[in-house]
Amino acid sequence: GNNDLLVLTQPQMITAIHNDHLAAGADIIETHSFNGTRLSMAAYDMEYLVPELNITAAKLANLLFTYVKVGSQAMFQKKLEIY
């Protein structure tokens, strides 16, 4: 099935997956938009969703991270409160 569509239809599920990975000790997470390409989405006649899908997937992954600047180096850091 088109699991990437869950980013748009079930964002709370995707956020829960991200949270579970971080709670288990992961330092990085993926966006869950593995097939977020026009070619892959063409199988479902949903090429038009590719930009929205990828932007939303990145925003969901970013919810659990915060942008910090340490000295002259900028980086992302896990938020202290995992929800």
Side-chain angles (χ1 to χ4, degrees):
N2 189 355
N3 292 324
D4 293 67
L5 195 56
L6 294 173
V7 167
L8 301 176
T9 62
Q10 298 291 322
Q12 69 282 0
M13 181 189 303
I14 300 301
T15 303
I17 292 169
H18 291 324
N19 187 53
D20 289 347
H21 289 157
L22 293 172
D27 289 323
I28 59 172
I29 54 176
E30 297 185 36
T31 61
H32 291 275
S33 58
F34 309 110
N35 293 307
T37 66
R38 292 190 187 283
L39 183 62
S40 294
M41 295 304 275
Y44 305 99
D45 294 322
M46 295 183 168
E47 303 95 327
Y48 64 95
L49 287 177
V50 169
E52 180 184 4
L53 188 143
N54 286 313
I55 290 168
T56 302
K59 285 180 179 178
L60 291 175
N62 192 45
L63 285 175
L64 300 177
F65 284 83
T66 185
Y67 184 76
V68 295
K69 191 167 186 176
V70 179
S72 62
Q73 185 177 14
M75 55 192 248
F76 286 95
Q77 180 177 23
K78 283 189 272 187
K79 289 187 177 175
L80 297 178
E81 180 181 325
I82 298 177
Y83 44 94

